[in-house]
Short mmCIF file of all heavy atoms in Angstrom, two decimals:
data_model
loop_
_atom_site.label_atom_id
_atom_site.label_comp_id
_atom_site.label_asym_id
_atom_site.label_seq_id
_atom_site.Cartn_x
_atom_site.Cartn_y
_atom_site.Cartn_z
N VAL F 25 -122.26 138.01 193.61
CA VAL F 25 -121.89 138.73 194.82
C VAL F 25 -120.46 138.35 195.14
O VAL F 25 -120.13 137.16 195.27
CB VAL F 25 -122.81 138.39 195.99
CG1 VAL F 25 -122.37 139.05 197.26
CG2 VAL F 25 -124.25 138.77 195.66
N GLY F 26 -119.59 139.28 195.33
CA GLY F 26 -118.23 139.01 195.70
C GLY F 26 -118.02 139.12 197.19
O GLY F 26 -118.82 139.71 197.90
N GLU F 27 -116.94 138.51 197.63
CA GLU F 27 -116.61 138.64 199.06
C GLU F 27 -115.11 138.86 199.18
O GLU F 27 -114.32 138.40 198.38
CB GLU F 27 -117.03 137.39 199.83
CG GLU F 27 -116.32 136.12 199.42
CD GLU F 27 -116.76 134.96 200.25
OE1 GLU F 27 -117.96 134.79 200.49
OE2 GLU F 27 -115.87 134.19 200.64
N GLY F 28 -114.73 139.58 200.18
CA GLY F 28 -113.33 139.89 200.44
C GLY F 28 -113.28 140.88 201.58
O GLY F 28 -114.28 141.45 202.00
N ASP F 29 -112.07 141.12 202.09
CA ASP F 29 -111.95 142.05 203.21
C ASP F 29 -111.41 143.38 202.78
O ASP F 29 -111.20 144.25 203.61
CB ASP F 29 -111.11 141.42 204.32
CG ASP F 29 -109.69 141.18 203.88
OD1 ASP F 29 -109.28 141.62 202.79
OD2 ASP F 29 -108.96 140.52 204.65
N GLY F 30 -111.19 143.60 201.48
CA GLY F 30 -110.71 144.88 201.00
C GLY F 30 -109.20 144.95 200.98
O GLY F 30 -108.63 145.63 200.15
N ALA F 31 -108.53 144.28 201.91
CA ALA F 31 -107.07 144.34 201.98
C ALA F 31 -106.44 143.49 200.88
O ALA F 31 -105.46 143.92 200.27
CB ALA F 31 -106.58 143.88 203.35
N ASP F 32 -106.99 142.34 200.65
CA ASP F 32 -106.37 141.45 199.66
C ASP F 32 -107.24 141.30 198.41
O ASP F 32 -106.99 140.47 197.57
CB ASP F 32 -106.08 140.07 200.26
CG ASP F 32 -107.34 139.36 200.75
OD1 ASP F 32 -108.41 139.95 200.75
OD2 ASP F 32 -107.22 138.20 201.11
N GLY F 33 -108.27 142.10 198.29
CA GLY F 33 -109.14 142.06 197.10
C GLY F 33 -110.17 140.98 197.17
O GLY F 33 -110.45 140.40 198.21
N LEU F 34 -110.75 140.70 196.02
CA LEU F 34 -111.81 139.70 195.90
C LEU F 34 -111.29 138.30 196.13
O LEU F 34 -110.31 137.90 195.54
CB LEU F 34 -112.44 139.81 194.51
CG LEU F 34 -113.69 139.02 194.23
CD1 LEU F 34 -114.85 139.58 195.03
CD2 LEU F 34 -114.01 139.09 192.74
N ARG F 35 -111.96 137.54 197.01
CA ARG F 35 -111.53 136.17 197.29
C ARG F 35 -112.46 135.14 196.70
O ARG F 35 -112.09 134.00 196.53
CB ARG F 35 -111.44 135.94 198.79
CG ARG F 35 -110.33 136.70 199.44
CD ARG F 35 -110.20 136.28 200.85
NE ARG F 35 -111.49 136.27 201.51
CZ ARG F 35 -111.74 136.68 202.72
NH1 ARG F 35 -110.77 137.13 203.47
NH2 ARG F 35 -112.94 136.62 203.24
N GLY F 36 -113.71 135.51 196.42
CA GLY F 36 -114.64 134.54 195.91
C GLY F 36 -115.87 135.18 195.31
O GLY F 36 -116.13 136.34 195.52
N VAL F 37 -116.62 134.39 194.56
CA VAL F 37 -117.84 134.85 193.93
C VAL F 37 -118.92 133.77 194.09
O VAL F 37 -118.64 132.59 193.93
CB VAL F 37 -117.61 135.12 192.43
CG1 VAL F 37 -118.92 135.39 191.72
CG2 VAL F 37 -116.67 136.29 192.24
N ASP F 38 -120.10 134.19 194.43
CA ASP F 38 -121.27 133.30 194.47
C ASP F 38 -122.11 133.58 193.22
O ASP F 38 -122.45 134.73 192.97
CB ASP F 38 -122.14 133.57 195.70
CG ASP F 38 -121.47 133.21 197.00
OD1 ASP F 38 -120.61 132.33 196.96
OD2 ASP F 38 -121.80 133.81 198.04
N ASP F 39 -122.43 132.55 192.48
CA ASP F 39 -123.32 132.69 191.36
C ASP F 39 -124.68 132.20 191.80
O ASP F 39 -124.80 131.07 192.27
CB ASP F 39 -122.85 131.90 190.14
CG ASP F 39 -123.89 131.95 189.05
OD1 ASP F 39 -123.91 132.98 188.34
OD2 ASP F 39 -124.68 131.01 188.93
N LYS F 40 -125.71 133.01 191.63
CA LYS F 40 -127.06 132.65 192.08
C LYS F 40 -127.97 132.50 190.85
O LYS F 40 -128.56 133.44 190.40
CB LYS F 40 -127.58 133.76 192.92
CG LYS F 40 -128.01 133.62 194.34
CD LYS F 40 -127.95 132.33 194.98
CE LYS F 40 -128.98 132.32 196.08
NZ LYS F 40 -129.30 131.06 196.59
N GLY F 41 -128.03 131.30 190.30
CA GLY F 41 -129.05 130.99 189.31
C GLY F 41 -128.77 131.34 187.86
O GLY F 41 -129.62 131.13 187.02
N ARG F 42 -127.59 131.87 187.53
CA ARG F 42 -127.32 132.21 186.16
C ARG F 42 -126.74 131.04 185.37
O ARG F 42 -126.78 131.04 184.16
CB ARG F 42 -126.37 133.41 186.08
CG ARG F 42 -127.08 134.71 186.46
CD ARG F 42 -126.12 135.87 186.42
NE ARG F 42 -125.13 135.79 187.48
CZ ARG F 42 -125.32 136.23 188.71
NH1 ARG F 42 -126.45 136.74 189.07
NH2 ARG F 42 -124.37 136.12 189.62
N ILE F 43 -126.23 130.07 186.04
CA ILE F 43 -125.65 128.90 185.36
C ILE F 43 -126.71 127.81 185.42
O ILE F 43 -126.72 126.97 186.31
CB ILE F 43 -124.31 128.48 186.00
CG1 ILE F 43 -123.33 129.63 185.85
CG2 ILE F 43 -123.79 127.20 185.35
CD1 ILE F 43 -121.99 129.39 186.47
N ASN F 44 -127.62 127.87 184.43
CA ASN F 44 -128.74 126.92 184.46
C ASN F 44 -129.22 126.56 183.06
O ASN F 44 -130.37 126.23 182.85
CB ASN F 44 -129.88 127.45 185.32
CG ASN F 44 -130.42 128.78 184.81
OD1 ASN F 44 -130.03 129.24 183.74
ND2 ASN F 44 -131.29 129.38 185.57
N ASP F 45 -128.33 126.64 182.08
CA ASP F 45 -128.69 126.31 180.69
C ASP F 45 -128.87 124.80 180.56
O ASP F 45 -128.06 124.05 181.10
CB ASP F 45 -127.58 126.80 179.78
CG ASP F 45 -127.99 126.85 178.33
OD1 ASP F 45 -128.46 125.83 177.81
OD2 ASP F 45 -127.83 127.91 177.73
N PRO F 46 -129.90 124.34 179.85
CA PRO F 46 -130.04 122.89 179.64
C PRO F 46 -128.87 122.29 178.86
O PRO F 46 -128.61 121.11 178.96
CB PRO F 46 -131.34 122.78 178.83
CG PRO F 46 -132.06 124.06 179.02
CD PRO F 46 -131.04 125.10 179.34
N ASP F 47 -128.16 123.15 178.11
CA ASP F 47 -126.95 122.71 177.38
C ASP F 47 -125.78 122.74 178.37
O ASP F 47 -125.28 123.81 178.71
CB ASP F 47 -126.69 123.61 176.20
CG ASP F 47 -125.41 123.30 175.45
OD1 ASP F 47 -124.71 122.31 175.79
OD2 ASP F 47 -125.10 124.03 174.49
N LEU F 48 -125.35 121.58 178.84
CA LEU F 48 -124.33 121.51 179.87
C LEU F 48 -123.02 122.13 179.40
O LEU F 48 -122.29 122.76 180.18
CB LEU F 48 -124.10 120.07 180.31
CG LEU F 48 -125.31 119.36 180.92
CD1 LEU F 48 -124.92 117.97 181.38
CD2 LEU F 48 -125.89 120.17 182.07
N ARG F 49 -122.71 122.02 178.12
CA ARG F 49 -121.47 122.63 177.60
C ARG F 49 -121.52 124.16 177.69
O ARG F 49 -120.49 124.79 177.91
CB ARG F 49 -121.18 122.17 176.20
CG ARG F 49 -120.85 120.69 176.15
CD ARG F 49 -120.41 120.23 174.77
NE ARG F 49 -120.31 118.80 174.71
CZ ARG F 49 -119.33 118.07 175.20
NH1 ARG F 49 -118.35 118.64 175.85
NH2 ARG F 49 -119.31 116.75 175.09
N ALA F 50 -122.70 124.76 177.55
CA ALA F 50 -122.85 126.20 177.71
C ALA F 50 -122.54 126.60 179.16
O ALA F 50 -121.90 127.62 179.40
CB ALA F 50 -124.25 126.65 177.32
N ASN F 51 -122.98 125.79 180.11
CA ASN F 51 -122.68 126.04 181.51
C ASN F 51 -121.19 125.97 181.77
O ASN F 51 -120.63 126.78 182.49
CB ASN F 51 -123.43 125.06 182.40
CG ASN F 51 -124.92 125.25 182.33
OD1 ASN F 51 -125.41 126.38 182.32
ND2 ASN F 51 -125.64 124.17 182.26
N VAL F 52 -120.54 124.95 181.20
CA VAL F 52 -119.10 124.79 181.37
C VAL F 52 -118.36 125.99 180.79
O VAL F 52 -117.43 126.50 181.42
CB VAL F 52 -118.62 123.46 180.78
CG1 VAL F 52 -117.10 123.38 180.75
CG2 VAL F 52 -119.19 122.28 181.57
N ARG F 53 -118.79 126.49 179.63
CA ARG F 53 -118.14 127.65 179.04
C ARG F 53 -118.27 128.86 179.96
O ARG F 53 -117.32 129.62 180.14
CB ARG F 53 -118.72 127.96 177.67
CG ARG F 53 -118.28 126.97 176.60
CD ARG F 53 -118.63 127.45 175.19
NE ARG F 53 -120.08 127.57 174.98
CZ ARG F 53 -120.87 126.59 174.57
NH1 ARG F 53 -120.37 125.41 174.32
NH2 ARG F 53 -122.16 126.81 174.41
N LEU F 54 -119.43 129.04 180.57
CA LEU F 54 -119.64 130.15 181.49
C LEU F 54 -118.77 129.99 182.74
O LEU F 54 -118.13 130.94 183.20
CB LEU F 54 -121.11 130.28 181.87
CG LEU F 54 -121.46 131.44 182.79
CD1 LEU F 54 -120.93 132.76 182.29
CD2 LEU F 54 -122.97 131.50 182.98
N ILE F 55 -118.72 128.79 183.29
CA ILE F 55 -117.87 128.53 184.44
C ILE F 55 -116.40 128.81 184.11
O ILE F 55 -115.68 129.44 184.89
CB ILE F 55 -118.06 127.08 184.95
CG1 ILE F 55 -119.47 126.93 185.54
CG2 ILE F 55 -116.99 126.70 185.98
CD1 ILE F 55 -119.87 125.47 185.77
N GLU F 56 -115.96 128.36 182.95
CA GLU F 56 -114.57 128.59 182.53
C GLU F 56 -114.29 130.08 182.35
O GLU F 56 -113.22 130.56 182.71
CB GLU F 56 -114.25 127.83 181.27
CG GLU F 56 -114.18 126.33 181.52
CD GLU F 56 -113.97 125.51 180.26
OE1 GLU F 56 -114.16 126.04 179.13
OE2 GLU F 56 -113.66 124.31 180.38
N ALA F 57 -115.26 130.83 181.80
CA ALA F 57 -115.07 132.28 181.64
C ALA F 57 -114.95 132.97 183.00
O ALA F 57 -114.11 133.87 183.19
CB ALA F 57 -116.24 132.86 180.82
N LEU F 58 -115.79 132.54 183.95
CA LEU F 58 -115.69 133.08 185.30
C LEU F 58 -114.34 132.77 185.91
O LEU F 58 -113.69 133.63 186.53
CB LEU F 58 -116.81 132.54 186.18
CG LEU F 58 -118.21 133.08 185.93
CD1 LEU F 58 -119.24 132.25 186.66
CD2 LEU F 58 -118.29 134.55 186.34
N ARG F 59 -113.90 131.53 185.76
CA ARG F 59 -112.60 131.14 186.31
C ARG F 59 -111.48 131.94 185.69
O ARG F 59 -110.57 132.41 186.36
CB ARG F 59 -112.38 129.63 186.06
CG ARG F 59 -111.03 129.10 186.43
CD ARG F 59 -110.59 129.35 187.88
NE ARG F 59 -111.50 128.80 188.82
CZ ARG F 59 -111.77 129.41 190.00
NH1 ARG F 59 -111.19 130.53 190.34
NH2 ARG F 59 -112.63 128.87 190.84
N ASP F 60 -111.52 132.13 184.36
CA ASP F 60 -110.50 132.94 183.69
C ASP F 60 -110.50 134.37 184.20
O ASP F 60 -109.43 134.96 184.41
CB ASP F 60 -110.71 132.91 182.18
CG ASP F 60 -110.40 131.57 181.55
OD1 ASP F 60 -109.70 130.74 182.18
OD2 ASP F 60 -110.85 131.35 180.41
N ALA F 61 -111.66 134.95 184.42
CA ALA F 61 -111.77 136.33 184.87
C ALA F 61 -111.33 136.49 186.32
O ALA F 61 -110.70 137.48 186.68
CB ALA F 61 -113.21 136.82 184.71
N LEU F 62 -111.61 135.48 187.14
CA LEU F 62 -111.33 135.58 188.58
C LEU F 62 -109.92 135.13 188.93
O LEU F 62 -109.38 135.53 189.96
CB LEU F 62 -112.32 134.74 189.38
CG LEU F 62 -113.75 135.20 189.31
CD1 LEU F 62 -114.67 134.14 189.91
CD2 LEU F 62 -113.92 136.53 190.00
N GLY F 63 -109.36 134.26 188.12
CA GLY F 63 -108.05 133.71 188.44
C GLY F 63 -108.16 132.40 189.21
O GLY F 63 -109.25 132.05 189.68
N PRO F 64 -107.06 131.68 189.33
CA PRO F 64 -107.10 130.34 189.88
C PRO F 64 -107.32 130.28 191.38
O PRO F 64 -107.70 129.23 191.90
CB PRO F 64 -105.73 129.78 189.50
CG PRO F 64 -104.86 130.99 189.40
CD PRO F 64 -105.74 132.08 188.84
N ASP F 65 -107.09 131.37 192.11
CA ASP F 65 -107.18 131.31 193.57
C ASP F 65 -108.52 131.72 194.14
O ASP F 65 -108.77 131.52 195.32
CB ASP F 65 -106.05 132.15 194.18
CG ASP F 65 -104.69 131.59 193.86
OD1 ASP F 65 -104.56 130.36 193.74
OD2 ASP F 65 -103.75 132.38 193.70
N ALA F 66 -109.36 132.34 193.33
CA ALA F 66 -110.67 132.79 193.82
C ALA F 66 -111.61 131.61 193.96
O ALA F 66 -111.62 130.69 193.15
CB ALA F 66 -111.26 133.82 192.88
N MET F 67 -112.43 131.62 195.01
CA MET F 67 -113.43 130.58 195.20
C MET F 67 -114.65 130.92 194.33
O MET F 67 -115.10 132.05 194.29
CB MET F 67 -113.87 130.51 196.66
CG MET F 67 -114.89 129.42 196.89
SD MET F 67 -115.49 129.34 198.61
CE MET F 67 -113.99 129.05 199.49
N LEU F 68 -115.13 129.92 193.62
CA LEU F 68 -116.30 130.09 192.76
C LEU F 68 -117.35 129.10 193.22
O LEU F 68 -117.14 127.90 193.18
CB LEU F 68 -115.90 129.81 191.31
CG LEU F 68 -116.98 129.93 190.24
CD1 LEU F 68 -117.59 131.32 190.24
CD2 LEU F 68 -116.40 129.60 188.89
N ARG F 69 -118.47 129.65 193.70
CA ARG F 69 -119.58 128.80 194.17
C ARG F 69 -120.76 128.98 193.25
O ARG F 69 -121.15 130.09 192.93
CB ARG F 69 -119.95 129.19 195.59
CG ARG F 69 -118.84 128.87 196.57
CD ARG F 69 -119.24 129.27 197.97
NE ARG F 69 -119.29 130.71 198.07
CZ ARG F 69 -118.73 131.39 199.07
NH1 ARG F 69 -118.13 130.75 200.05
NH2 ARG F 69 -118.79 132.69 199.10
N ILE F 70 -121.32 127.85 192.81
CA ILE F 70 -122.42 127.85 191.86
C ILE F 70 -123.67 127.35 192.53
O ILE F 70 -123.70 126.29 193.14
CB ILE F 70 -122.10 126.93 190.65
CG1 ILE F 70 -120.74 127.27 190.04
CG2 ILE F 70 -123.22 126.97 189.63
CD1 ILE F 70 -120.63 128.64 189.48
N ASP F 71 -124.76 128.14 192.42
CA ASP F 71 -126.06 127.76 192.95
C ASP F 71 -127.06 127.92 191.81
O ASP F 71 -127.45 129.02 191.47
CB ASP F 71 -126.44 128.62 194.13
CG ASP F 71 -127.82 128.32 194.69
OD1 ASP F 71 -128.53 127.48 194.10
OD2 ASP F 71 -128.20 128.94 195.69
N SER F 72 -127.49 126.82 191.22
CA SER F 72 -128.39 126.86 190.06
C SER F 72 -129.85 126.74 190.47
O SER F 72 -130.70 126.46 189.62
CB SER F 72 -128.02 125.75 189.08
OG SER F 72 -126.74 126.01 188.56
N ASN F 73 -130.13 126.97 191.72
CA ASN F 73 -131.52 126.95 192.22
C ASN F 73 -132.29 125.69 191.81
O ASN F 73 -133.40 125.76 191.30
CB ASN F 73 -132.26 128.21 191.75
CG ASN F 73 -131.72 129.45 192.41
OD1 ASN F 73 -131.36 129.46 193.56
ND2 ASN F 73 -131.61 130.52 191.62
N GLN F 74 -131.68 124.55 192.02
CA GLN F 74 -132.28 123.24 191.76
C GLN F 74 -132.66 123.04 190.29
O GLN F 74 -133.62 122.31 189.99
CB GLN F 74 -133.47 123.02 192.66
CG GLN F 74 -133.13 123.09 194.12
CD GLN F 74 -134.33 122.94 195.02
OE1 GLN F 74 -135.44 122.67 194.59
NE2 GLN F 74 -134.12 123.09 196.31
N ALA F 75 -131.93 123.67 189.37
CA ALA F 75 -132.23 123.56 187.94
C ALA F 75 -131.77 122.21 187.36
O ALA F 75 -132.19 121.83 186.27
CB ALA F 75 -131.58 124.69 187.19
N PHE F 76 -130.90 121.49 188.08
CA PHE F 76 -130.32 120.29 187.52
C PHE F 76 -130.58 119.07 188.39
O PHE F 76 -130.70 119.16 189.59
CB PHE F 76 -128.80 120.44 187.40
CG PHE F 76 -128.42 121.56 186.47
CD1 PHE F 76 -127.83 122.69 186.95
CD2 PHE F 76 -128.68 121.46 185.11
CE1 PHE F 76 -127.48 123.72 186.10
CE2 PHE F 76 -128.34 122.48 184.27
CZ PHE F 76 -127.74 123.62 184.77
N SER F 77 -130.59 117.93 187.73
CA SER F 77 -130.64 116.65 188.44
C SER F 77 -129.22 116.29 188.86
O SER F 77 -128.24 116.89 188.39
CB SER F 77 -131.17 115.57 187.50
OG SER F 77 -130.24 115.38 186.42
N LEU F 78 -129.11 115.33 189.73
CA LEU F 78 -127.78 114.85 190.13
C LEU F 78 -126.95 114.38 188.93
O LEU F 78 -125.78 114.78 188.80
CB LEU F 78 -127.89 113.74 191.18
CG LEU F 78 -126.56 113.17 191.66
CD1 LEU F 78 -125.67 114.24 192.25
CD2 LEU F 78 -126.82 112.06 192.67
N PRO F 79 -127.51 113.60 188.00
CA PRO F 79 -126.72 113.20 186.83
C PRO F 79 -126.21 114.39 186.00
O PRO F 79 -125.08 114.38 185.53
CB PRO F 79 -127.67 112.32 186.02
CG PRO F 79 -128.62 111.77 187.04
CD PRO F 79 -128.81 112.90 188.03
N SER F 80 -127.03 115.42 185.83
CA SER F 80 -126.56 116.57 185.04
C SER F 80 -125.49 117.36 185.80
O SER F 80 -124.56 117.88 185.19
CB SER F 80 -127.72 117.46 184.62
OG SER F 80 -128.36 118.04 185.72
N CYS F 81 -125.60 117.44 187.12
CA CYS F 81 -124.56 118.08 187.93
C CYS F 81 -123.24 117.33 187.80
O CYS F 81 -122.16 117.94 187.61
CB CYS F 81 -124.96 118.14 189.39
SG CYS F 81 -126.26 119.29 189.74
N LEU F 82 -123.32 116.02 187.89
CA LEU F 82 -122.10 115.20 187.77
C LEU F 82 -121.49 115.31 186.37
O LEU F 82 -120.26 115.38 186.24
CB LEU F 82 -122.40 113.76 188.14
CG LEU F 82 -122.80 113.52 189.61
CD1 LEU F 82 -123.23 112.08 189.80
CD2 LEU F 82 -121.66 113.89 190.54
N ALA F 83 -122.35 115.36 185.35
CA ALA F 83 -121.84 115.51 183.99
C ALA F 83 -121.15 116.85 183.79
O ALA F 83 -120.11 116.94 183.16
CB ALA F 83 -122.99 115.35 182.99
N THR F 84 -121.74 117.90 184.35
CA THR F 84 -121.11 119.23 184.27
C THR F 84 -119.77 119.23 184.98
O THR F 84 -118.77 119.76 184.47
CB THR F 84 -122.03 120.30 184.87
OG1 THR F 84 -123.27 120.31 184.13
CG2 THR F 84 -121.41 121.68 184.80
N ALA F 85 -119.72 118.63 186.15
CA ALA F 85 -118.45 118.55 186.89
C ALA F 85 -117.40 117.77 186.09
O ALA F 85 -116.22 118.16 186.03
CB ALA F 85 -118.68 117.89 188.24
N LYS F 86 -117.83 116.69 185.45
CA LYS F 86 -116.89 115.90 184.66
C LYS F 86 -116.37 116.69 183.46
O LYS F 86 -115.18 116.67 183.16
CB LYS F 86 -117.55 114.62 184.20
CG LYS F 86 -116.64 113.68 183.49
CD LYS F 86 -117.32 112.36 183.15
CE LYS F 86 -116.35 111.43 182.47
NZ LYS F 86 -116.98 110.14 182.17
N LEU F 87 -117.27 117.46 182.79
CA LEU F 87 -116.86 118.25 181.66
C LEU F 87 -115.86 119.33 182.04
O LEU F 87 -115.00 119.69 181.25
CB LEU F 87 -118.08 118.90 181.00
CG LEU F 87 -118.97 117.98 180.17
CD1 LEU F 87 -120.27 118.72 179.79
CD2 LEU F 87 -118.25 117.50 178.95
N SER F 88 -116.00 119.86 183.24
CA SER F 88 -115.12 120.96 183.68
C SER F 88 -114.02 120.49 184.63
O SER F 88 -113.33 121.30 185.20
CB SER F 88 -115.95 122.06 184.32
OG SER F 88 -116.62 121.59 185.45
N SER F 89 -113.88 119.19 184.81
CA SER F 89 -112.95 118.68 185.83
C SER F 89 -111.51 119.06 185.55
O SER F 89 -110.73 119.17 186.51
CB SER F 89 -113.08 117.18 185.97
OG SER F 89 -112.67 116.53 184.78
N GLY F 90 -111.14 119.28 184.34
CA GLY F 90 -109.77 119.70 184.05
C GLY F 90 -109.43 121.05 184.59
O GLY F 90 -108.29 121.42 184.77
N ARG F 91 -110.45 121.87 184.86
CA ARG F 91 -110.24 123.22 185.36
C ARG F 91 -110.56 123.38 186.83
O ARG F 91 -110.38 124.42 187.41
CB ARG F 91 -111.15 124.19 184.57
CG ARG F 91 -111.01 124.15 183.09
CD ARG F 91 -109.78 124.89 182.55
NE ARG F 91 -109.65 126.22 183.06
CZ ARG F 91 -110.10 127.33 182.48
NH1 ARG F 91 -110.77 127.23 181.36
NH2 ARG F 91 -109.89 128.51 182.99
N ALA F 92 -111.07 122.30 187.44
CA ALA F 92 -111.53 122.38 188.85
C ALA F 92 -110.33 122.63 189.75
O ALA F 92 -109.23 122.16 189.51
CB ALA F 92 -112.27 121.13 189.23
N LYS F 93 -110.61 123.28 190.85
CA LYS F 93 -109.59 123.55 191.86
C LYS F 93 -109.70 122.54 192.96
O LYS F 93 -110.77 122.15 193.36
CB LYS F 93 -109.76 124.95 192.41
CG LYS F 93 -108.71 125.32 193.40
CD LYS F 93 -108.91 126.75 193.85
CE LYS F 93 -107.90 127.05 194.93
NZ LYS F 93 -108.10 128.36 195.46
#
């Protein structure tokens, strides 16, 4: 679901449950593809519907930390 006011275009995207692969690197590739498509200024919010433990969330963040905003 995108959000924006129409004047300045899309400002952010909410992902609801699609980033939930047990392979953390697959999740990072999807996050990076979204970031590439949206550009560096769009807000990207990920909601994996409790699919991950805290350690797996932290590992995913660490794997993608070079691209984080």
Side-chain angles (χ1 to χ4, degrees):
V25 176
E27 64 179 43
D29 63 9
D32 61 353
L34 188 68
R35 292 188 312 220
V37 171
D38 292 334
D39 174 79
K40 238 1 206 165
R42 287 178 291 275
I43 299 177
N44 60 7
D45 196 306
D47 176 2
L48 299 183
R49 293 187 189 283
N51 294 318
V52 170
R53 286 191 298 272
L54 182 52
I55 292 167
E56 289 175 347
L58 287 168
R59 173 56 57 217
D60 289 343
L62 295 170
D65 296 327
M67 181 182 300
L68 180 59
R69 293 180 289 227
I70 307 298
D71 177 356
S72 296
N73 292 322
Q74 301 178 6
F76 299 111
S77 65
L78 179 58
S80 64
C81 289
L82 294 173
T84 300
K86 185 175 182 179
L87 285 171
S88 62
S89 65
R91 304 282 310 267
K93 183 177 175 184

